[in-house]
Amino acid sequence: METKLIKTGTFVDNQEILGIELTNTHGTYVKIYNYGAIINKFVIKTKDGRQQDIVLGFDDFEHYLNEDYLANYPYFGAVIGRYANRIKNARFTIDGEVHQLSQSKGPDCLHGGDHGFDKKVWQVLSTIDPSLTLEYVSPDGEEHFPGNLTVQLTFKLTDDNELILDFKAVTDEPTAVNLTHHGYFNLSPNGGNVGSHLHHMPASHYLEQDDNYTVTGRLIPVEDTQYDFLAEKPFARDWDPAEGYDQSFVLDGPAGELVLASETRSKESGLKLSVYTTAPVAHLYTAKYVDVKDGKGGQHYGPFSAFCVETQYHPNAINIPSFPSTVLRPGDTYKMTTIYKIEEL
């Protein structure tokens, strides 16, 4: 087991960007940048000695700063904060005080605003084989969120090919917090469209969204809809081929306990990705809007070239009292764990 720091030679806001590789005893390894806490590589060493990278990204760090990439920005592999998904009208009220955020997606606030945690340099707190702890301190008023928020994220790679993400956050003023990781996965050995991937999600309800993909507060049963993944099926079986999936699901397991969020497998590679989380919601996105040139090995990533399982609290919950609260108060600690487990079938 090993943890290795790699200098990129690139500086952002006068801070050096580092790549940190975590390797387990099987030769599986993960590469993480301290910019955006981006998971750049998740390379599985299979039983026959083959290596397969299961996440989308770039061969070098500089591409994450490329203007063309940022113009059609998909948040490849980054941590999202302070608030995942959309906040209606980019506005919320805590204790009678209205907070107007950046309107980063039409009238709404998406993924924390114009410059969320995905575009911040995180400090490397510790590297203990094979784990990494990063910290970001978000100042009061950043993207118009109240309070100084300190976030710590620990990545740990186990010998069971589990990548564990442990989030913790504290604040000095009441604020809104909903963190997630925005990894783009493709389990096929040669990439391409993920429509043939087989997917299972133990979620009996999904969350209604308006025309801007913002959650309204209504829960809808998945039964007899395209959103029913209670039994495994290919992504493409029921999807609209022009739309794919971009939907939040409420998981059936007990809230706050580590439960299965999804299982996805590829017959081509024989790999299965299981996602476990303590969060109550998983947002499934099949990359409809992705159009990225110069990906790894010169690949052009197009629509439906990956899937995301973004574990989080209910989107827009800060404006929907019937949803679990996403208000963090001084003296309390935000905690959330997500595990990505890879198995070879």
Side-chain angles (χ1 to χ4, degrees), residues 68-129:
D68 289 341
Y69 171 67
L70 294 175
N72 185 35
Y73 182 49
Y75 301 86
F76 274 174
V79 165
I80 304 300
R82 286 187 193 192
Y83 210 95
N85 219 300
R86 291 158 173 80
I87 295 177
K88 183 68 174 175
N89 294 323
R91 185 186 304 120
F92 62 86
T93 301
I94 297 178
D95 299 338
E97 184 175 354
V98 177
H99 300 276
Q100 181 65 56
L101 309 175
S102 303
Q103 293 176 305
S104 55
K105 197 69 172 179
D108 303 329
C109 180
L110 173 66
H111 289 337
D114 294 321
H115 293 88
F117 293 0
D118 53 289
K119 295 188 178 78
K120 303 299 182 182
V121 181
W122 293 57
Q123 302 305 307
V124 177
L125 285 191
S126 68
T127 54
I128 303 172
D129 294 343

XYZ file of all heavy atoms in Angstrom, residues 68-129:
494
model
N -12.023 25.852 -23.396
C -13.061 25.086 -24.091
C -13.775 24.139 -23.125
O -14.995 23.972 -23.186
C -12.444 24.286 -25.240
C -12.009 25.163 -26.400
O -12.492 26.311 -26.487
O -11.180 24.710 -27.214
N -13.005 23.519 -22.237
C -13.600 22.616 -21.245
C -14.504 23.388 -20.293
O -15.631 22.968 -20.006
C -12.487 21.906 -20.474
C -12.951 21.116 -19.276
C -13.731 19.974 -19.431
C -12.597 21.502 -17.976
C -14.152 19.244 -18.327
C -13.009 20.775 -16.877
C -13.793 19.650 -17.056
O -14.212 18.928 -15.959
N -14.044 24.537 -19.826
C -14.823 25.321 -18.864
C -16.060 25.942 -19.499
O -17.045 26.218 -18.810
C -13.941 26.402 -18.246
C -12.781 25.890 -17.372
C -11.908 27.055 -16.922
C -13.301 25.111 -16.173
N -16.027 26.150 -20.816
C -17.182 26.744 -21.492
C -18.375 25.789 -21.524
O -19.527 26.222 -21.594
C -16.795 27.155 -22.913
N -18.100 24.493 -21.502
C -19.164 23.487 -21.469
C -18.850 22.536 -20.324
O -18.623 21.350 -20.494
C -19.228 22.730 -22.796
C -20.392 21.770 -22.848
O -21.459 22.026 -22.304
N -20.193 20.632 -23.492
N -18.862 23.077 -19.138
C -18.203 22.495 -17.975
C -19.020 21.376 -17.335
O -20.118 21.616 -16.829
C -17.952 23.611 -16.972
C -17.243 23.218 -15.710
C -16.085 22.461 -15.746
C -17.725 23.618 -14.473
C -15.425 22.118 -14.572
C -17.073 23.291 -13.305
C -15.928 22.531 -13.361
O -15.284 22.182 -12.202
N -18.500 20.134 -17.289
C -19.242 19.015 -16.703
C -18.819 18.611 -15.290
O -19.310 17.613 -14.785
C -18.939 17.877 -17.676
C -17.537 18.162 -18.125
C -17.357 19.665 -18.098
N -17.878 19.332 -14.680
C -17.439 19.037 -13.304
C -16.783 17.649 -13.195
O -16.998 16.934 -12.220
C -18.619 19.106 -12.325
C -19.344 20.415 -12.259
C -20.377 20.701 -13.142
C -19.017 21.374 -11.310
C -21.062 21.907 -13.086
C -19.703 22.581 -11.235
C -20.724 22.844 -12.131
O -21.407 24.027 -12.065
N -15.955 17.282 -14.157
C -15.358 15.946 -14.154
C -14.654 15.625 -12.830
O -13.670 16.253 -12.456
C -14.324 15.816 -15.266
C -14.871 15.426 -16.611
C -14.045 15.400 -17.727
C -16.198 15.074 -16.786
C -14.526 15.039 -18.969
C -16.694 14.724 -18.032
C -15.853 14.699 -19.124
N -15.184 14.650 -12.115
C -14.503 14.075 -10.963
C -14.357 14.945 -9.741
O -13.639 14.585 -8.804
N -15.022 16.099 -9.708
C -14.790 17.081 -8.649
C -15.774 16.938 -7.494
O -16.860 16.355 -7.629
C -14.868 18.494 -9.211
N -15.376 17.523 -6.361
C -16.287 17.652 -5.229
C -17.155 18.895 -5.435
O -16.673 19.940 -5.885
C -15.506 17.741 -3.909
C -16.386 18.239 -2.770
C -14.943 16.377 -3.555
N -18.423 18.767 -5.105
C -19.390 19.851 -5.309
C -19.790 20.434 -3.960
O -20.128 19.706 -3.028
C -20.650 19.333 -6.028
C -20.277 18.666 -7.365
C -21.649 20.466 -6.235
C -19.574 19.557 -8.350
N -19.738 21.768 -3.852
C -20.116 22.456 -2.625
C -20.218 23.957 -2.882
O -19.729 24.441 -3.895
N -20.815 24.774 -2.009
C -21.394 24.277 -0.784
C -22.662 23.465 -0.973
O -23.072 22.757 -0.045
C -21.764 25.466 0.133
C -20.619 26.161 0.805
C -21.117 27.190 1.805
N -20.021 28.066 2.210
C -20.086 28.888 3.213
N -21.187 28.927 3.941
N -19.074 29.657 3.510
N -23.273 23.560 -2.134
C -24.590 22.947 -2.233
C -24.747 22.253 -3.574
O -24.743 22.888 -4.622
C -25.693 23.991 -2.055
C -26.960 23.438 -1.446
C -27.183 23.516 -0.084
C -27.903 22.806 -2.236
C -28.332 22.991 0.488
C -29.061 22.275 -1.682
C -29.271 22.371 -0.312
O -30.413 21.846 0.256
N -24.892 20.927 -3.531
C -25.035 20.132 -4.741
C -26.383 20.368 -5.408
O -27.382 20.689 -4.756
C -24.884 18.649 -4.400
N -26.374 20.196 -6.736
C -27.587 20.298 -7.537
C -28.111 21.742 -7.518
O -27.346 22.684 -7.328
C -28.631 19.285 -7.065
C -29.397 18.667 -8.216
O -30.060 19.368 -8.976
N -29.316 17.360 -8.344
N -29.412 21.915 -7.665
C -29.974 23.251 -7.881
C -30.731 23.766 -6.665
O -31.461 23.009 -6.019
C -30.913 23.229 -9.098
C -30.175 23.040 -10.421
C -31.118 22.504 -11.488
N -30.480 22.463 -12.792
C -29.634 21.507 -13.206
N -29.326 20.517 -12.387
N -29.121 21.549 -14.416
N -30.565 25.067 -6.407
C -31.363 25.776 -5.414
C -32.290 26.714 -6.172
O -31.835 27.577 -6.943
C -30.482 26.564 -4.429
C -29.632 25.606 -3.590
C -31.340 27.448 -3.523
C -28.670 26.300 -2.643
N -33.588 26.555 -5.973
C -34.593 27.307 -6.726
C -34.414 28.806 -6.547
O -34.304 29.322 -5.423
C -35.993 26.893 -6.265
C -37.130 27.553 -7.036
C -37.184 27.054 -8.470
C -38.409 27.614 -9.205
N -38.396 27.221 -10.640
N -34.360 29.503 -7.666
C -34.224 30.968 -7.702
C -32.973 31.457 -6.974
O -32.876 32.638 -6.636
C -35.467 31.660 -7.136
C -36.700 31.424 -7.994
O -36.616 31.392 -9.211
N -37.847 31.240 -7.356
N -32.030 30.526 -6.749
C -30.751 30.881 -6.099
C -30.981 31.639 -4.790
O -30.250 32.564 -4.455
C -29.878 31.695 -7.048
N -31.988 31.214 -4.033
C -32.357 31.963 -2.827
C -32.845 31.006 -1.756
O -33.506 30.015 -2.045
C -33.465 32.964 -3.169
C -33.875 33.890 -2.029
C -35.072 34.756 -2.388
N -34.836 35.548 -3.593
C -35.560 35.471 -4.698
N -36.584 34.632 -4.754
N -35.296 36.223 -5.739
N -32.493 31.292 -0.512
C -33.050 30.537 0.608
C -33.095 31.445 1.833
O -32.447 32.505 1.880
C -32.240 29.268 0.895
C -30.809 29.497 1.296
C -30.459 29.735 2.618
C -29.795 29.452 0.347
C -29.142 29.941 2.996
C -28.462 29.654 0.707
C -28.137 29.895 2.031
N -33.859 31.011 2.835
C -34.020 31.776 4.074
C -33.660 30.895 5.261
O -34.116 29.761 5.357
C -35.476 32.257 4.217
O -35.822 33.064 3.091
C -35.639 33.082 5.487
N -32.806 31.421 6.143
C -32.485 30.753 7.400
C -32.734 31.732 8.542
O -32.218 32.860 8.508
C -31.010 30.276 7.445
C -30.743 29.224 6.366
C -30.679 29.692 8.819
C -29.304 28.742 6.333
N -33.547 31.325 9.505
C -33.851 32.147 10.685
C -34.337 33.543 10.282
O -33.976 34.553 10.880
C -32.618 32.262 11.590
C -32.153 30.914 12.120
O -32.977 29.974 12.144
O -30.969 30.799 12.493
N -35.165 33.577 9.233
C -35.777 34.828 8.795
C -34.920 35.699 7.904
O -35.391 36.719 7.403
N -33.666 35.308 7.681
C -32.776 36.102 6.839
C -32.679 35.482 5.452
O -32.378 34.295 5.301
C -31.382 36.204 7.451
C -30.440 37.092 6.656
C -29.101 37.289 7.332
O -28.935 36.831 8.485
O -28.209 37.879 6.694
N -32.940 36.293 4.426
C -32.897 35.830 3.041
C -31.469 35.920 2.514
O -30.790 36.939 2.691
C -33.837 36.663 2.148
C -33.731 36.217 0.686
C -35.277 36.552 2.635
N -31.022 34.868 1.829
C -29.695 34.839 1.223
C -29.856 34.639 -0.286
O -30.415 33.628 -0.721
C -28.861 33.708 1.825
C -28.659 33.835 3.304
N -27.672 34.611 3.856
C -29.360 33.298 4.344
C -27.751 34.543 5.178
N -28.765 33.756 5.500
N -29.389 35.611 -1.058
C -29.461 35.560 -2.514
C -28.112 35.110 -3.063
O -27.101 35.780 -2.890
C -29.826 36.920 -3.099
C -29.937 36.929 -4.618
C -31.078 36.051 -5.128
O -32.228 36.233 -4.731
N -30.759 35.094 -5.996
N -28.097 33.960 -3.735
C -26.874 33.376 -4.246
C -26.644 33.756 -5.704
O -27.473 34.431 -6.330
C -26.948 31.844 -4.140
C -27.346 31.270 -2.783
C -27.483 29.753 -2.880
C -26.325 31.650 -1.719
N -25.549 33.289 -6.252
C -25.262 33.479 -7.671
C -26.236 32.632 -8.495
O -26.453 31.456 -8.197
C -23.831 33.046 -7.989
O -22.901 33.736 -7.202
N -26.789 33.230 -9.531
C -27.679 32.501 -10.432
C -26.819 31.898 -11.544
O -26.606 32.492 -12.592
C -28.755 33.434 -10.978
C -29.726 33.911 -9.901
C -30.742 34.911 -10.397
O -30.383 35.949 -10.952
N -32.017 34.622 -10.199
N -26.351 30.681 -11.285
C -25.360 30.068 -12.168
C -25.967 29.138 -13.210
O -25.255 28.627 -14.079
C -24.326 29.301 -11.327
O -24.972 28.361 -10.486
N -27.270 28.888 -13.140
C -27.950 28.045 -14.127
C -29.344 28.590 -14.343
O -30.284 28.238 -13.639
C -28.014 26.598 -13.631
C -28.315 25.599 -14.738
C -27.146 25.486 -15.715
C -27.364 24.364 -16.704
N -26.252 24.272 -17.672
N -29.478 29.515 -15.305
C -30.749 30.201 -15.467
C -31.034 30.995 -14.208
O -30.153 31.664 -13.673
N -32.249 30.900 -13.675
C -32.570 31.646 -12.455
C -32.088 30.969 -11.172
O -32.181 31.548 -10.101
C -34.101 31.681 -12.480
C -34.479 30.413 -13.170
C -33.425 30.182 -14.219
N -31.571 29.744 -11.305
C -31.235 28.931 -10.133
C -29.729 28.924 -9.867
O -28.924 29.361 -10.695
C -31.733 27.499 -10.328
C -33.231 27.439 -10.584
O -33.958 28.315 -10.068
O -33.679 26.539 -11.316
N -29.377 28.403 -8.714
C -27.965 28.221 -8.359
C -27.624 26.737 -8.514
O -28.275 25.887 -7.916
C -27.706 28.668 -6.921
S -25.979 28.482 -6.396
N -26.619 26.437 -9.325
C -26.207 25.061 -9.577
C -24.859 24.781 -8.946
O -23.895 25.531 -9.155
C -26.144 24.797 -11.084
C -25.563 23.441 -11.511
C -26.482 22.301 -11.057
C -25.357 23.385 -13.018
N -24.763 23.694 -8.195
C -23.493 23.158 -7.690
C -22.633 24.194 -6.963
O -21.418 24.243 -7.133
C -22.708 22.523 -8.827
C -23.291 21.228 -9.324
N -24.116 20.433 -8.556
C -23.163 20.583 -10.523
C -24.461 19.363 -9.259
N -23.908 19.428 -10.451
N -23.286 25.051 -6.183
C -22.540 25.969 -5.327
C -22.250 27.326 -5.916
O -21.630 28.157 -5.250
N -22.660 27.566 -7.166
C -22.468 28.895 -7.747
C -21.421 28.932 -8.835
O -21.025 27.905 -9.395
N -20.949 30.138 -9.154
C -20.012 30.319 -10.267
C -18.654 29.703 -9.986
O -17.989 29.189 -10.888
C -19.850 31.818 -10.569
C -21.133 32.434 -11.090
O -21.835 31.761 -11.871
O -21.443 33.577 -10.715
N -18.203 29.774 -8.739
C -16.894 29.233 -8.357
C -17.051 28.427 -7.069
O -16.752 28.901 -5.982
C -15.866 30.357 -8.189
C -15.524 31.047 -9.471
N -16.246 32.122 -9.938
C -14.555 30.798 -10.389
C -15.735 32.524 -11.094
N -14.722 31.734 -11.391
N -17.560 27.217 -7.245
C -17.794 26.348 -6.100
C -16.533 25.624 -5.675
O -15.412 25.931 -6.115
N -16.702 24.626 -4.834
C -15.565 23.884 -4.282
C -14.787 23.136 -5.356
O -13.633 22.759 -5.151
C -16.050 22.899 -3.224
C -16.609 23.551 -1.984
C -16.660 24.930 -1.839
C -17.090 22.765 -0.944
C -17.174 25.521 -0.685
C -17.603 23.343 0.210
C -17.651 24.719 0.333
N -15.416 22.909 -6.504
C -14.766 22.229 -7.626
C -13.653 23.059 -8.261
O -12.813 22.523 -8.982
C -15.800 21.894 -8.698
C -16.600 23.126 -9.110
O -17.427 23.584 -8.293
O -16.377 23.641 -10.230
N -13.625 24.364 -7.982
C -12.606 25.247 -8.563
C -11.685 25.838 -7.486
O -11.032 26.848 -7.729
C -13.268 26.381 -9.358
C -14.043 25.930 -10.596
C -14.492 27.154 -11.402
C -15.219 26.748 -12.672
N -16.608 26.348 -12.395
N -11.628 25.190 -6.341
C -10.809 25.685 -5.240
C -9.599 24.775 -5.011
O -9.656 23.566 -5.261
C -11.628 25.752 -3.942
C -12.885 26.605 -4.046
C -12.571 28.059 -4.392
C -13.854 28.890 -4.430
N -13.584 30.289 -4.812
N -8.509 25.374 -4.525
C -7.340 24.599 -4.132
C -7.533 24.151 -2.686
O -7.686 24.974 -1.784
C -6.040 25.419 -4.272
C -4.836 24.570 -3.864
C -5.876 25.921 -5.709
N -7.525 22.854 -2.488
C -7.684 22.271 -1.160
C -6.303 22.034 -0.551
O -5.348 21.705 -1.259
C -8.438 20.945 -1.252
C -9.875 21.067 -1.694
C -10.340 21.627 -2.843
C -11.023 20.585 -0.995
N -11.705 21.532 -2.909
C -12.149 20.892 -1.791
C -11.207 19.915 0.209
C -13.448 20.556 -1.401
C -12.500 19.571 0.597
C -13.608 19.895 -0.205
N -6.214 22.182 0.746
C -4.954 21.950 1.441
C -4.798 20.467 1.779
O -5.764 19.815 2.201
C -4.883 22.775 2.726
C -5.033 24.275 2.505
C -4.023 24.823 1.508
O -2.821 24.607 1.648
N -4.513 25.523 0.494
N -3.587 19.948 1.588
C -3.295 18.564 1.950
C -2.984 18.523 3.447
O -1.958 19.026 3.897
C -2.113 18.013 1.135
C -1.779 16.591 1.583
C -2.429 18.048 -0.359
N -3.884 17.913 4.216
C -3.692 17.838 5.666
C -2.841 16.648 6.074
O -1.985 16.751 6.951
C -5.042 17.761 6.385
C -5.875 19.023 6.493
C -7.028 18.792 7.470
C -5.061 20.227 6.921
N -3.111 15.488 5.455
C -2.350 14.299 5.826
C -2.388 13.281 4.706
O -3.330 13.235 3.902
C -2.900 13.678 7.116
O -4.189 13.137 6.901
N -1.337 12.461 4.656
C -1.260 11.337 3.720
C -0.744 10.136 4.497
O 0.434 10.055 4.813
C -0.319 11.637 2.541
O 0.961 12.038 3.058
C -0.867 12.749 1.661
N -1.642 9.226 4.817
C -1.294 8.010 5.549
C -1.675 6.831 4.653
O -2.835 6.692 4.270
C -2.028 7.927 6.891
C -1.727 9.155 7.750
C -1.666 6.648 7.633
C -2.557 9.254 9.012
N -0.700 5.994 4.306
C -0.920 4.933 3.314
C -2.141 4.085 3.646
O -2.241 3.579 4.765
C 0.303 4.026 3.241
C 1.537 4.731 2.697
O 1.375 5.794 2.081
O 2.641 4.205 2.881
